[in-house]
Amino acid sequence: MGKSKGKQRKQVTLPPELPPEITEDEIEVSDEDLQFVDENTDYAGFVSRLDTHSITRQVTRVEGLSEDALEALYENRRRKALEQKENERSVVQVDPVDALPVKTLDGEVYYRTFSQIAEVAENEEGNEDKSIVKLTKAERRAKLKKSKKEAKKQGKELAKTEEVLPTQQEAILAEVKEDLMVEETFESKKCKLAELGMALLADPESSIKSLKEMLQFAKDGDHSIVKLGMLSLLAVFKDIIPGYRIRLPTEKELEMKVSKEVKKMRYYESTLLSAYKGYLQKLLALEKRPIFHHVVVRCICTLLDAVPHFNFCESLLGAVVRNIGSSDDVVRRLCCATIKSLFTNEGKHGGEATVEAVRLIADHVKAHDCQLHPDSVEVLMSLSFDENLGKPEVQEGNNKMKSKKYKKRKNIEETNQIQGNDRKKGKQEMMAKMKEEVAADYKAVAYTPDVEERKRMQSETLSAVFETYFRILRHTTQSSVASSEANGSTTPGASGAHPLLAPCLSGLGKFSHLIDLDYIGDLMNYLKRLASGGSNSDVSAQKVQNLTVSERLHCCIVAFKVMTSNLDALNVDLQDFFVQLYNLVLEYRPGRDQGGVLAEALKIMLCDDRQHDMQKAAAFAKRLATFSLCFGSAESMAALVTLKNLLQKNVKCRNLLENDAGGGSVSGSIAKYQPYASDPNLSGALASVLWELNLLSKHYHPTVSTLAASISCMNTAQNQVYLSITPQQAFINLSLEQESFDPKFSTQKSNNKRKRGTGPSTLASINPTSIDENEVSKKLGRHFMLLRDIKENERLRGELDRTRSSLQLYEEYKKQRKSLKHKTKKSKKPLPVN
């Protein structure tokens, strides 16, 4: 019986475990299933009425076993499953890469666990230790302690690594959160600025308090927000600033009772003025920081250009003038453009800002000892002055006299009449007073001052301008003399020594007609010293060096402009300037000096003057002809135009075109020509001949050759046609930028003109055509393609010649080798036996 029971127990098999129960939250049901169940509730309603417990009991039952025995079997199976899971957790799996696979006898391949590898290693070590030496108890204890310490260290390191990983993740998450917060705050501040600005532009009077809120953004820690705040306030102030200066009410005016509208307007104006003042203070404070410099300068220049009439204009002018000579090109150009706009648009401010700006520029030049960028003084060229300010005074004086006479006559008539009602008289007096007050207020607000006020402002402006110019001239002479004494003999033409001299001379030339006659003598002395440079001609005067040829020529031009504008000052001798021009023509270099300045000097000093001394005119004609041989077509053309003008005005100088023995027919007081003389009156040019024209008639440029041929064909008659072109126009027409050669204008055409023997003709038909850049580029492309093909052909020919020569050498070598072989064969043949 016992055996049969045991067999029955062994044969009992439990059904498989049911799947684990899933909560309703984890179950995902699609919308289609829900829709289907809702539509078919009659068919799917039985599911909700199912008894799950009875179904489970029916599935898990076993025949022949009671419920208690079946529960015990299930409990046993659960316990074994838990033990197996614990054993699997305790075993560390080894990566298949770190352990070799094991193949069983059945052919299955598996990877051993860490515990199995450790057991095998311990068994091997134990076997080795047993085979070698048996450890004592003390050694075993020490070994156990050591292993425990190592295990503790490993545990600590693992704990540290586990702590470090979450801390790094937390730090990265914190950084990401900070970045997101910064972006959100930036966007929110931008939106706030936009809202405040739009509210102010829509209704300034009701939203005037928002200006203070917008000013708070200028104190933000984010630089981008500060820049946006400055630019937003700039746009707001440009729009809401009134067209008049705000005058705050006095204490007496505040005590008076006024209407609500007046109080509201006073509050609006005071708030606007205080906010504008705070804005300017913030701009001037941020100007010193490089990161905000560009934005601040742009804001200041825009405000000054838009509202030069408003309060605190002096602060804006000071900031702009400080940066007018900045080394930063963007800042300097912006400030110069603002000052020029201020000078040209005086209707916005009535001229007061112009006077203040010119004073500040004069002080700025003085403070920096004339060592500034040329643009800082060149802006003064944009000034304009009225020349007929005295005429309206006479008309106003006549009107005043008429009004006085009319008033006297009216008073006489009123005295003759019967005295009327006193009430009417009082009303008339009050009306007259009110009209006078309104007229005074209108005059104070209006930007167009009367004639006397305008004349006073323009005289102050002009005096400040000439003060600046004379300071630059004095500084140039003093610094040049000091440098020449310190360095000994310096080479003239050092660049950058006097940066403000060129704009100063240009300004003096433009405003020369406004210079007072009392200062013309001093001005001419300064110009004479500067034009002399380091030449040996002016021994008595102090030598001024470090000036370029263009600057010295410019001094001569200014001197002649001053004299032509002030014809009353006839006691000044200009002979020294002619001497300087005579010497500077030889010192001119095309790449170093400005050809336009030389052409202007030739026009003003030699062409515009009516008559010259015969000896001086001949000397200049000879020197200009020599000059034309040495330089380019543009300079040669300007010199030849001046030469022809001199020969047309001085009839006797045309004897230089004759080819008599011993020179010209009129030699003058000096019998021999001195080409290196420094004074044109001592050169003896009348004793020479203009043989240079023969060479110039063969010039490579057809325009120059044609003009030289026409000059050489001039006769001694006085009825000559004067040229309608100036040296400046000739230089511009033939400058490098506009110079082009017309292929139709060949040398045969010019030779035909010479054969005709026609007299001088105008240069209007000789002017070169305009440059066609496409044609020039095409021609240059073809030219360089041809050159490249020629070089390529030369290279290929060289290679071909080398290969031919090598082939020839090889063939000769073969022939020599064959001949040697033939000779050796002949030598080896046996001799015939007799």
Side-chain angles (χ1 to χ4, degrees):
M1 294 295 289
K3 289 181 181 179
S4 63
K5 288 180 181 177
K7 287 179 182 179
Q8 287 177 0
R9 288 179 183 173
K10 287 180 181 177
Q11 289 177 359
V12 172
T13 56
L14 293 172
E17 290 184 357
L18 294 173
E21 292 185 1
I22 302 173
T23 60
E24 293 181 358
D25 298 336
E26 296 178 358
I27 297 172
E28 294 182 359
V29 182
S30 63
D31 296 337
E32 295 177 356
D33 295 341
L34 288 172
Q35 186 178 357
F36 178 78
V37 172
D38 292 337
E39 291 176 356
N40 303 291
T41 53
D42 297 337
Y43 301 102
F46 73 95
V47 179
S48 61
R49 295 191 294 272
L50 289 176
D51 190 3
T52 56
H53 294 287
S54 61
I55 293 170
T56 303
R57 198 181 305 116
Q58 184 67 23
V59 171
T60 57
R61 72 184 178 80
V62 179
E63 292 182 1
L65 288 177
S66 61
E67 291 183 1
D68 297 334
L70 190 62
E71 188 67 29
L73 289 173
Y74 276 118
E75 188 67 30
N76 190 13
R77 189 168 69 175
R78 290 193 198 97
R79 187 172 63 253
K80 286 180 180 180
L82 289 172
E83 289 177 358
Q84 188 178 357
K85 284 182 180 179
E86 289 178 358
N87 292 331
E88 287 178 358
R89 288 177 184 174
S90 62
V91 175
V92 180
Q93 295 293 331
V94 180
D95 194 352
V97 179
D98 300 331
L100 293 173
V102 178
K103 190 173 184 180
T104 61
L105 295 173
D106 299 334
E108 294 181 358
V109 178
Y110 72 95
Y111 291 90
R112 290 185 296 179
T113 60
F114 182 77
S115 60
Q116 292 171 351
I117 295 169
E119 285 176 2
V120 172
E122 285 177 0
N123 292 331
E124 288 177 357
E125 288 177 0
N127 294 331
E128 288 177 1
D129 294 339
K130 286 176 183 178
S131 63
I132 298 170
V133 179
K134 289 184 179 180
L135 295 174
T136 60
K137 289 183 178 181
E139 289 174 349
R140 289 176 185 172
R141 289 174 183 171
K143 195 173 181 180
L144 284 170
K145 286 182 180 179
K146 191 175 182 181
S147 62
K148 288 179 180 179
K149 286 182 181 178
E150 289 178 355
K152 285 182 180 179
K153 285 182 181 179
Q154 290 177 359
K156 288 180 180 179
E157 289 176 357
L158 287 171
K160 286 181 180 178
T161 54
E162 290 176 356
E163 289 177 358
V164 167
L165 288 172
T167 53
Q168 289 179 353
Q169 292 177 357
E170 289 175 0
I172 293 168
L173 288 171
E175 288 180 1
V176 172
K177 287 180 181 179
E178 285 181 2
D179 294 338
L180 292 173
M181 287 294 292
V182 168
E183 290 181 1
E184 288 177 1
T185 53
F186 181 74
E187 291 296 328
S188 64
K189 289 177 180 177
K190 278 175 64 177
C191 294
K192 184 67 175 175
L193 266 173
E195 290 175 2
L196 293 173
M198 292 298 291
L200 275 165
L201 294 176
D203 191 2
E205 292 184 359
S206 60
S207 305
I208 194 65
K209 293 181 180 179
S210 301
L211 284 174
K212 294 181 180 178
E213 294 183 26
M214 292 184 74
L215 276 173
Q216 294 300 320
F217 285 99
K219 301 176 183 178
D220 198 87
D222 190 357
H223 294 163
S224 301
I225 293 295
V226 174
K227 291 178 182 179
L228 287 174
M230 294 290 104
L231 294 172
S232 301
L233 283 167
L234 171 65
V236 170
F237 279 123
K238 276 181 64 178
D239 190 78
I240 67 173
I241 283 178
Y244 56 89
R245 291 177 70 94
I246 293 176
R247 184 184 66 82
L248 296 177
T250 60
E251 294 181 357
K252 291 182 179 179
E253 290 175 348
L254 289 173
E255 291 176 357
M256 295 171 62
K257 291 183 179 180
V258 292
S259 62
K260 291 182 179 180
E261 292 180 357
V262 174
K263 286 182 179 179
K264 188 177 180 181
M265 181 58 68
R266 284 180 178 179
Y267 175 75
Y268 171 75
E269 290 179 349
S270 61
T271 308
L272 174 62
L273 196 60
S274 62
Y276 185 67
K277 183 178 179 181
Y279 178 62
L280 293 184
Q281 290 174 351
K282 190 64 180 177
L283 284 176
L284 296 177
L286 293 175
E287 185 190 3
K288 301 173 183 177
R289 301 176 64 179
I291 193 171
F292 299 112
H293 190 61
H294 279 257
V295 177
V296 169
V297 171
R298 186 173 296 277
C299 292
I300 291 173
C301 292
T302 307
L303 275 178
L304 183 60
D305 190 20
V307 287
H309 62 278
F310 198 60
N311 302 61
F312 310 112
C313 178
E314 296 80 9
S315 303
L316 294 174
L317 276 172
V320 172
V321 171
R322 276 199 305 273
N323 295 295
I324 205 171
S326 174
S327 58
D328 191 345
D329 293 338
V330 177
V331 174
R332 186 180 65 253
R333 288 171 186 168
L334 190 61
C335 293
C336 291
T338 305
I339 294 295
K340 288 178 182 178
S341 175
L342 203 69
F343 290 162
T344 53
N345 300 320
E346 288 189 351
K348 292 182 178 180
H349 50 81
E352 294 180 359
T354 301
V355 178
E356 186 66 24
V358 173
R359 285 176 183 169
L360 290 172
I361 290 171
D363 296 338
H364 191 60
V365 171
K366 181 180 179 182
H368 287 80
D369 200 17
C370 301
Q371 296 300 316
L372 290 170
H373 196 275
D375 292 347
S376 57
V377 177
E378 194 176 357
V379 296
L380 299 176
M381 296 284 288
S382 302
L383 289 168
S384 59
F385 297 96
D386 295 336
E387 299 179 2
N388 300 323
L389 285 174
K391 290 183 180 179
E393 286 184 358
V394 179
Q395 296 177 359
E396 286 185 0
N398 294 332
N399 292 332
K400 287 180 181 179
M401 292 294 291
K402 289 179 180 178
S403 61
K404 286 181 180 179
K405 289 180 180 178
Y406 177 74
K407 284 181 181 179
K408 286 181 180 178
R409 192 180 300 165
K410 192 175 180 181
N411 292 331
I412 293 168
E413 289 177 357
E414 286 179 355
T415 51
N416 294 331
Q417 290 177 357
I418 303 168
Q419 294 182 356
N421 199 350
D422 294 337
R423 237 166 140 186
K424 290 182 180 181
K425 263 192 183 180
K427 283 184 180 181
Q428 289 176 359
E429 288 178 358
M430 286 177 66
M431 291 291 292
K433 285 182 180 179
M434 287 176 68
K435 286 180 180 180
E436 289 178 359
E437 290 177 359
V438 169
D441 293 340
Y442 179 77
K443 187 178 178 181
V445 173
Y447 299 142
T448 54
D450 57 357
V451 177
E452 294 180 358
E453 185 68 19
R454 182 174 176 79
K455 186 177 180 180
R456 182 190 63 80
M457 287 191 297
Q458 288 207 346
S459 62
E460 290 179 2
T461 305
L462 191 63
S463 62
V465 168
F466 283 126
E467 179 187 352
T468 305
Y469 288 159
F470 276 94
R471 178 176 284 109
I472 293 169
L473 291 176
R474 186 170 61 252
H475 177 270
T476 303
T477 55
Q478 292 175 356
S479 62
S480 299
V481 171
S483 63
S484 62
E485 290 176 356
N487 301 328
S489 62
T490 59
T491 58
S495 61
H498 312 289
L500 300 182
L501 182 60
C504 168
L505 294 173
S506 300
L508 285 171
K510 181 179 180 180
F511 304 123
S512 58
H513 61 286
L514 299 172
I515 301 175
D516 194 354
L517 296 178
D518 297 335
Y519 301 105
I520 287 180
D522 297 333
L523 176 61
M524 298 301 285
N525 290 331
Y526 278 125
L527 294 174
K528 192 182 297 182
R529 288 172 58 186
L530 291 173
S532 63
S535 61
N536 297 325
S537 60
D538 192 5
V539 181
S540 60
Q542 289 180 317
K543 295 180 181 179
V544 180
Q545 298 183 356
N546 299 327
L547 293 181
T548 61
V549 173
S550 301
E551 289 173 345
R552 292 164 65 186
L553 286 171
H554 211 161
C555 292
C556 298
I557 292 169
V558 172
F560 271 78
K561 284 184 177 179
V562 171
M563 291 304 298
T564 52
S565 300
N566 300 276
L567 297 176
D568 297 332
L570 299 176
N571 56 348
V572 179
D573 188 12
L574 299 175
Q575 179 62 27
D576 293 335
F577 294 101
F578 283 109
V579 172
Q580 298 305 325
L581 177 63
Y582 186 74
N583 294 318
L584 288 173
V585 169
L586 293 181
E587 296 181 16
Y588 174 82
R589 298 294 178 271
R592 182 192 64 186
D593 303 317
Q594 300 174 7
V597 178
L598 177 62
E600 187 181 1
L602 294 176
K603 173 186 175 296
I604 292 175
M605 298 179 69
L606 297 178
C607 295
D608 291 349
D609 199 359
R610 293 182 179 179
Q611 196 71 25
H612 293 284
D613 181 46
M614 184 176 62
Q615 192 72 31
K616 182 170 65 176
F620 273 105
K622 182 67 177 175
R623 180 147 290 188
L624 289 174
T626 307
F627 172 82
S628 301
L629 290 173
C630 304
F631 299 109
S633 57
E635 290 86 354
S636 301
M637 195 67 188
L640 287 176
V641 169
T642 309
L643 170 60
K644 190 168 186 178
N645 196 301
L646 289 172
L647 293 178
Q648 285 176 340
K649 290 180 180 179
N650 298 274
V651 179
K652 293 184 179 179
C653 292
R654 297 175 199 168
N655 294 315
L656 295 172
L657 302 174
E658 298 177 2
N659 193 11
D660 295 341
S665 60
V666 182
S667 61
S669 60
I670 301 172
K672 187 178 180 181
Y673 175 56
Q674 304 291 333
Y676 298 106
S678 59
D679 193 346
N681 294 321
L682 303 177
S683 63
L686 290 171
S688 64
V689 177
L690 292 176
W691 54 266
E692 294 90 352
L693 294 175
N694 190 16
L695 296 177
L696 289 170
S697 62
K698 301 174 184 178
H699 197 272
Y700 68 92
H701 200 286
T703 310
V704 177
S705 60
T706 305
L707 182 60
S710 66
I711 294 172
S712 59
C713 294
M714 289 176 66
N715 52 20
T716 56
Q718 295 184 5
N719 52 352
Q720 294 291 329
V721 179
Y722 285 86
L723 287 172
S724 61
I725 190 171
T726 62
Q728 285 178 293
Q729 294 174 355
F731 179 82
I732 292 170
N733 291 337
L734 270 77
S735 60
L736 294 176
E737 291 79 13
Q738 298 182 2
E739 184 174 1
S740 65
F741 291 96
D742 190 358
K744 297 179 182 178
F745 196 82
S746 59
T747 54
Q748 294 179 359
K749 190 174 180 181
S750 61
N751 290 332
N752 291 333
K753 285 186 177 181
R754 292 173 206 161
K755 289 177 183 177
R756 288 172 193 168
T758 55
S761 59
T762 61
L763 297 178
S765 61
I766 305 174
N767 292 338
T769 58
S770 61
I771 295 175
D772 190 357
E773 294 182 357
N774 295 327
E775 290 183 3
V776 172
S777 62
K778 288 178 183 177
K779 289 179 181 178
L780 289 174
R782 293 171 193 164
H783 175 69
F784 286 112
M785 283 287 290
L786 184 63
L787 289 177
R788 188 170 61 194
D789 293 340
I790 291 170
K791 289 182 180 179
E792 187 69 19
N793 290 334
E794 289 177 355
R795 186 181 64 80
L796 293 173
R797 284 179 182 174
E799 290 180 359
L800 184 61
D801 293 338
R802 285 194 293 272
T803 51
R804 282 178 179 175
S805 61
S806 61
L807 288 171
Q808 289 176 359
L809 289 172
Y810 184 68
E811 289 176 357
E812 289 177 1
Y813 172 71
K814 276 185 176 181
K815 289 178 181 179
Q816 289 177 1
R817 195 172 180 182
K818 284 181 181 180
S819 62
L820 286 171
K821 283 182 180 180
H822 188 65
K823 287 180 181 179
T824 52
K825 284 181 181 180
K826 283 184 178 181
S827 62
K828 286 181 181 179
K829 283 183 180 181
L831 294 171
V833 181
N834 295 326

